[in-house]
């Protein structure tokens, strides 16, 4: 277990791919990798060649590239060499910033002498991510009688936290070149940012707005139109596909990094929500602008809707209750009256009132569209009620699946490359391919499904020598009550053997809190808990102190990158299946079963496999990392689906021997150097 890994073989470069006097791809990749201070790896070379071939042929490609492969350069180099516009969509802010601030500048500088041109690149986000100068200088449409108000006055003056944030935003507006919220450090609260930003529906438009010539969002769009590579996020990609009006510039190639997140992000964008609070905001915005009859109708409909939601029970609504249907129809019709009324008063040249009207229209149109969608009771949508302790009840509607949408909007008229460290589940690409609208098998393209090719370029890490997968088969199977004293005993013993150094990944925040409280009482090691400090600060503390443990839920399963001796034990408390009462997942599972498939494997097991693969990937982040992934759920060893889940994980050495694992952890702990303080890297 503690033996050093065998030396990695030197990469075997494929024959140079040339086109006339164009430089060979291998030469371009070598220049780029050298520029960032790295070394080419076999998997990186293979991936770059596959991306180049797919782009040239206009084909679709799925590439699984393990941690440490260098996949960013493996797709950026052929993208920049291609000569046509390429859009790169990522799921996380960390990777977007890494691409734009580090990888692309260095790569462009390195390729410039070989390409004899300097490719341009730009980042593009949704409009609400950019500061709005009209909103900043003219004020925020509010609920008060006088319509517009000074945000500082509303915030309680310049001495309040909100007031201080707004003063800082005003100063920052004079300094920033981008207006991008993520360039503001330190950041401000969501409430403060909402005072100086607008959604696309609220925007007056560059030609109407007095600040249109200086607009940060419009400037970002113009830069994107001129760029060879546009870096964006999955959400904006989904908006571009769903809403019909193009947001992204036209492009011939789309590269989706962190592609395991795509279905979830697209589902989120395509989900609508109705809450009494949201409806009330629409009523207040419309009250001063719509005619009295329309405003009164909307107020009456909103009151009926609120009364029903106070009594609503959580769960899926396969059929709308009659009273709820009537209330939604009244809400929809009243919104339509208000929209017509607001359109009738649109006149004159642009005034401050236009901003108020635009926001009112945006609120009302959103309520109208969501109510209409729920009333349609489409077989392709799932409707359910949620109840939150703080925010009360809400109605939600989401697509049953997004594969058809992605097939139609994503894979037509362009080459698409999907890449991630986690695309093969159960040992193949089938489940991921189906979820994004591709066929079940590579190639073919039968039944009008897009043809595709899959490639697993592996990882530079020797997982079998660097890590152990331990399944605690002797534990009791997790129950619904959540109390697992034997699991907590096992967890404490593992942490003691590891000397701390533990990342605890839990299936719920309740389980994470219970485990943190128990370990703090039992063990003499610091235990950090997600939510008690910002995630960045928690990870920094965890990375710099070997004795520290960090417990949390979903964002830790996917967002922690701490190489070195600070993280040598990754613990999963149970197989992370979706909750049995999750309306959307349950509906998707039922739909697969009604079509003759295995709903549990297609939905629940696939969901769990994806999370477990991501979670297990937190352990080995560098070639000298060593450690254990411990799954404290015997079902991974005993259930029929256990083999599918294990095949989705990195190829660690597998054992159920608890004593062997304790000895290995103790040996690793004894030989581990003290971690140096490091900033967490983008995952």
């Amino acid at each position: 277990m503690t033996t050093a890994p065998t030396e990695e073989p030197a990469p075997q470069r494929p024959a140079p791919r040339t086109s006339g006097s164009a430089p060979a791809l291998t030469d371009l990749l070598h220049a780029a990798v050298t520029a960032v201070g790295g070394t080419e790896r076999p998997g990186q070379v293979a991936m770059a060649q596959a991306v180049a071939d797919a782009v040239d042929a206009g084909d679709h490609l799925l590439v699984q590239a393990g941690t440490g492969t260098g996949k960013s350069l493996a797709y950026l180099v052929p993208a920049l060499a291609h000569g046509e516009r390429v859009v790169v969509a990522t799921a996380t802010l960390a990777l977007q910033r890494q691409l734009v601030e580090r990888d692309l500048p260095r790569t462009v500088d390195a390729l410039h002498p070989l390409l004899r041109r300097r490719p341009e690149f730009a980042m593009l986000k949704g409009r609400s991510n950019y500061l709005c100068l009209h909103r900043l200088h003219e004020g925020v449409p509010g609920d008060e009688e006088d319509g517009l108000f000074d945000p500082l006055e509303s915030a309680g003056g310049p001495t309040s936290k909100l007031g201080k944030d707004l003063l800082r935003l005003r100063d920052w507006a004079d300094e920033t070149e981008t207006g991008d919220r993520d360039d503001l450090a330190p950041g401000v609260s969501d409430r403060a940012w909402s005072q100086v930003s607008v959604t696309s529906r609220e925007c007056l438009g560059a030609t109407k707005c007095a600040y249109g010539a200086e607009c940060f969002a419009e400037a970002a769009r113009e830069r994107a139109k001129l760029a060879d590579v546009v870096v964006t996020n999955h959400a904006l990609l989904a908006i571009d596909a769903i809403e019909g009006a193009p947001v992204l510039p036209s492009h011939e190639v789309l590269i989706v990094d962190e592609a395991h997140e795509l279905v979830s992000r697209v589902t989120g964008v395509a989900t609508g929500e109705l809450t009494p609070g949201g409806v009330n905001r629409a009523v207040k915005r419309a009250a001063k602008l719509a005619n009295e009859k329309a405003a009164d109708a909307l107020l009456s409909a909103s009151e009926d809707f609120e009364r029903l939601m106070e009594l609503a029970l959580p769960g899926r609504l396969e059929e709308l209750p009659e009273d709820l249907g009537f209330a939604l129809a009244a809400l929809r019709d009243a919104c339509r009256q208000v929209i017509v009324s607001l359109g009738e008063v649109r006149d004159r040249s642009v005034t401050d009132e236009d901003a108020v009207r635009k926001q009112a229209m945006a609120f009302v149109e959103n309520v109208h569209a969501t109510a209409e969608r729920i009333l349609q009771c489409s077989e392709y949508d799932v409707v359910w009620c949620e109840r939150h302790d703080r925010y009360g009840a809400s109605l939600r509607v989401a697509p049953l699946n997004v594969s058809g949408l992605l097939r139609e909007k994503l894979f037509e008229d362009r080459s698409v490359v999907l890449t991630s460290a986690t695309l093969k589940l159960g040992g193949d690409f089938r489940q991921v391919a189906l979820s994004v609208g591709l066929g079940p098998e590579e190639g073919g393209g039968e039944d009008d499904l897009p043809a595709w090719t899959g490639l697993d370029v592996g990882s530079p890490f020797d997982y079998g020598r660097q890590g152990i997968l331990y399944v605690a088969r002797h534990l009791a199977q997790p129950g619904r009550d959540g109390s697992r004293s034997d699991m907590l005993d096992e967890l404490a013993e593992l942490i003691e053997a590891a000397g701390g150094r533990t990342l605890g990944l839990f299936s719920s925040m309740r389980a994470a809190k219970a485990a943190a409280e128990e370990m703090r009482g039992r063990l003499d090691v610091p235990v950090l808990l997600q939510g008690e400090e910002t995630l960045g600060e928690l990870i920094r503390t965890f990375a710099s102190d070997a004795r520290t443990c960090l417990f949390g839920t979903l964002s830790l399963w996917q967002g922690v990158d701490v190489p070195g001796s600070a993280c040598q034990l990754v613990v999963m408390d149970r197989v992370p299946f979706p909750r049995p009462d999750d309306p959307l997942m349950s509906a998707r599972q039922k739909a697969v079963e009604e079509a003759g498939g295995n709903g549990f494997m297609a939905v629940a097991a696939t969901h769990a496999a994806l999370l477990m693969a991501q979670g297990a990937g937190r352990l080995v982040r560098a070639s000298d990392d060593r450690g254990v992934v411990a799954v404290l759920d015997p079902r991974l060893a005993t259930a029929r689906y256990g083999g599918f889940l294990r095949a989705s994980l990195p190829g660690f050495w597998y054992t159920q021997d608890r004593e062997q694992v304790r000895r290995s952890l103790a040996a690793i702990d004894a030989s581990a150097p003290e971690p140096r303080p490091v900033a967490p890297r983008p995952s």
Side-chain angles (χ1 to χ4, degrees):
M1 179 62 208
T2 57
T3 305
T6 56
E7 186 174 334
E8 186 177 301
Q12 299 297 312
R13 294 190 183 182
R17 183 179 70 95
T18 60
S19 176
S21 60
L25 176 66
T26 48
D27 294 336
L28 295 172
L29 182 62
H30 178 73
V33 173
T34 301
V36 300
T39 303
E40 293 148 274
R41 299 181 182 275
Q44 184 183 49
V45 175
M47 178 177 172
Q49 187 68 64
V51 171
D53 292 343
V55 167
D56 286 347
D59 293 338
H60 305 310
L61 175 69
L62 273 64
V63 185
Q64 175 160 293
T67 304
T69 300
K71 63 180 167 58
S72 297
L73 289 185
Y75 61 69
L76 286 179
V77 169
L80 290 166
H82 180 57
E84 304 289 345
R85 182 179 290 118
V86 175
V87 168
V88 177
T90 76
T92 62
L93 171 64
L95 183 54
Q96 289 176 56
R97 296 187 75 93
Q98 174 186 310
L99 291 175
V100 172
E101 296 177 4
R102 190 185 74 182
D103 293 348
L104 274 166
R106 296 179 184 179
T107 304
V108 165
D109 287 343
L111 299 190
H112 180 209
L114 296 171
L115 294 175
R116 298 180 183 177
R117 58 184 173 86
R118 180 174 289 277
E120 299 291 333
F121 58 89
M123 183 185 289
L124 185 60
K125 303 177 183 178
R127 188 171 292 273
S128 61
N129 290 280
Y130 299 97
L131 183 142
C132 171
L133 293 171
H134 185 280
R135 177 68 62 89
L136 180 76
H137 295 301
E138 306 300 332
V140 185
D143 300 335
E144 287 73 17
E145 283 298 318
D146 57 356
L148 295 174
F149 64 90
D150 185 331
L152 279 179
E153 183 179 332
S154 169
T159 59
S160 69
K161 173 65 169 66
L162 180 58
K164 290 178 180 177
D165 280 347
L166 290 170
L167 281 175
R168 192 154 62 84
L169 283 166
R170 286 183 173 179
D171 292 338
W172 179 68
D174 295 329
E175 305 166 0
T176 178
E177 296 181 1
T178 65
D180 185 337
R181 180 180 182 178
D182 294 317
D183 291 341
L184 175 65
V188 296
S189 67
D190 289 345
R191 185 182 175 200
W193 186 256
S194 70
Q195 305 263 341
V196 297
S197 64
V198 295
T199 65
S200 57
R201 284 186 171 183
E202 296 169 329
C203 177
L204 291 170
T207 57
K208 281 191 169 186
C209 180
Y211 302 90
E214 308 164 71
C215 178
F216 293 116
E218 290 297 320
R221 295 187 70 167
E222 290 303 314
R223 287 193 295 271
K225 290 177 183 178
L226 300 174
D228 298 275
V229 175
V230 179
V231 178
T232 187
N233 53 58
H234 291 181
L236 195 63
L237 179 65
I239 291 169
D240 186 72
I242 293 170
E243 297 192 352
V247 180
L248 297 170
S250 61
H251 52 282
E252 293 71 29
V253 179
L254 170 65
I255 297 172
V256 182
D257 202 344
E258 303 170 307
H260 63 278
E261 286 277 358
L262 182 62
V263 168
S264 173
R265 300 301 172 102
V266 173
T267 299
V269 169
T271 298
E273 182 180 41
L274 273 184
T275 67
V279 173
N280 286 335
R281 283 190 289 275
V283 170
K284 292 176 181 179
R285 298 295 193 274
K288 299 181 291 295
L289 296 171
N291 64 52
E292 186 175 350
K293 180 179 178 181
D296 286 347
L298 183 56
L299 175 61
S300 176
S302 71
E303 291 172 345
D304 290 342
F305 174 70
E306 185 170 4
R307 279 195 294 271
L308 283 175
M309 293 305 291
E310 287 175 355
L311 304 174
L313 298 176
R316 184 183 178 188
L317 301 175
E318 296 196 49
E319 292 185 4
L320 282 181
E322 187 176 33
D323 54 353
L324 181 58
F326 284 139
L328 289 172
L331 197 59
R332 174 201 60 192
D333 295 343
C335 285
R336 187 181 297 130
Q337 290 182 53
V338 170
I339 291 168
V340 171
S341 174
L342 291 177
E344 289 173 351
V345 298
R346 180 172 290 183
D347 60 290
R348 304 178 304 278
S349 58
V350 179
T351 65
D352 287 345
E353 188 179 290
D354 286 307
V356 184
R357 186 182 302 116
K358 190 77 173 180
Q359 188 185 56
M361 186 74 85
F363 273 88
V364 176
E365 285 177 341
N366 182 62
V367 173
H368 175 270
T370 307
E372 174 71 13
R373 182 178 170 190
I374 294 173
L375 283 166
Q376 287 175 351
C377 297
S378 169
E379 62 181 307
Y380 303 110
D381 273 339
V382 179
V383 178
W384 72 96
C385 179
E386 283 188 3
R387 185 168 289 281
H388 191 280
D389 291 341
R390 181 177 177 184
Y391 302 110
S394 64
L395 273 183
R396 308 197 71 174
V397 55
L400 184 59
N401 68 65
V402 296
S403 59
L405 172 68
L406 292 174
R407 181 186 308 124
E408 177 186 352
K409 302 294 187 180
L410 217 62
F411 294 100
E412 291 187 357
D413 304 323
R414 56 183 162 186
S415 173
V416 180
V417 176
L418 303 173
T419 185
S420 167
T422 312
L423 286 183
K424 290 178 72 175
L425 302 179
D428 60 48
F429 291 103
R430 174 186 171 86
Q431 293 297 339
V432 169
L434 287 171
S435 71
V436 298
L438 297 171
E441 306 295 338
E442 294 186 51
E446 68 279 0
D447 300 324
D448 297 324
L449 296 175
W452 59 280
T453 301
L455 174 67
D456 181 359
V457 300
S459 168
F461 304 143
D462 187 348
Y463 287 118
R465 297 174 66 87
Q466 291 184 247
I468 294 174
L469 172 62
Y470 165 58
V471 179
R473 182 170 182 158
H474 62 282
L475 297 179
Q477 185 169 305
R480 289 195 176 186
D481 61 359
S483 59
R484 298 182 63 197
S485 58
D486 60 342
M487 184 275 288
L488 294 173
D489 292 340
E490 183 81 9
L491 176 61
E493 292 177 16
L494 289 169
I495 293 174
E496 278 192 304
R501 308 178 190 273
T502 301
L503 177 65
L505 306 177
F506 293 83
S507 54
S508 69
M509 201 61 225
R510 183 177 68 173
K513 287 179 179 177
E517 291 174 4
E518 187 75 16
M519 295 305 108
R520 285 166 176 170
R522 290 194 192 195
L523 305 176
D524 185 26
V525 296
V527 178
L528 308 175
L529 179 63
Q530 185 179 357
E532 293 183 346
E533 184 53 82
T534 65
L535 185 57
E537 185 59 34
L538 288 173
I539 295 174
R540 277 188 288 273
T541 303
F542 177 58
S544 61
D545 182 358
R547 299 180 63 253
T548 298
C549 302
L550 173 58
F551 291 180
T553 56
L554 189 60
S555 58
L556 296 189
W557 286 73
Q558 304 181 84
V560 175
D561 184 11
V562 179
S565 59
C567 181
Q568 295 185 331
L569 172 62
V570 174
V571 178
M572 305 181 200
D573 69 326
R574 61 193 298 164
V575 176
F577 292 122
R579 297 192 330 267
D581 60 350
D582 184 307
L584 184 56
M585 289 294 194
S586 299
R588 288 176 170 175
Q589 187 166 320
K590 181 179 178 182
V592 173
E593 291 166 354
E594 290 175 346
N598 186 326
F600 172 78
M601 291 302 296
V603 179
T606 295
H607 172 88
L610 183 59
L611 274 181
M612 292 189 76
Q614 286 287 307
R618 302 309 99 197
L619 180 69
V620 175
R621 310 301 294 180
S623 59
D624 56 353
D625 284 353
R626 301 288 186 277
V628 172
V629 172
V631 181
L632 308 186
D633 186 337
R635 293 175 295 178
L636 189 62
T638 60
R640 285 190 297 175
Y641 53 77
F644 171 80
L645 297 178
R646 293 196 303 273
S648 305
L649 303 179
F652 298 128
W653 184 70
Y654 174 58
T655 185
Q656 300 171 22
D657 186 337
R658 59 194 302 201
E659 296 307 321
Q660 172 64 53
V661 166
R662 282 157 179 72
R663 288 194 297 271
S664 296
L665 283 171
I668 296 169
D669 179 32
S671 62
E674 283 298 307
R676 292 173 297 175
V678 294
R681 303 183 309 184
S683 176

